[in-house]
Amino acid sequence: MTLNNGVQMPELGLGVFQSPPEGTATAVTTVLRHGYGLIVAVAVAVAVAVSAIGPEGLDEGADAS
């Protein structure tokens, strides 16, 4: 979708409100690995996802397939 100012924004959204931490971490990790670049979140949701992902974090060289 193209906004009035010409900026493009994805039309697909991922909702994780009230998802358990493990589900949130899996969902966020999956979309990031597949190139999804628009993250709109509140600090608590980010903290939950990051803590559930754990110290290994995201492997930036991981294959997205």
Side-chain angles (χ1 to χ4, degrees):
M1 142 185 334
T2 302
L3 302 177
N4 290 339
N5 63 359
V7 173
Q8 293 210 348
M9 182 175 105
E11 293 185 38
L12 175 68
L14 170 69
V16 294
F17 178 65
Q18 294 185 336
S19 293
E22 302 79 25
T24 301
T26 300
V28 171
T29 301
T30 300
V31 298
L32 290 175
R33 285 191 175 147
H34 284 83
Y36 194 82
L38 179 65
I39 304 294
V40 178
V42 295
V44 173
V46 172
V48 167
V50 169
S51 66
I53 290 170
E56 69 277 359
L58 292 174
D59 178 5
E60 292 183 21
D63 184 3
S65 57

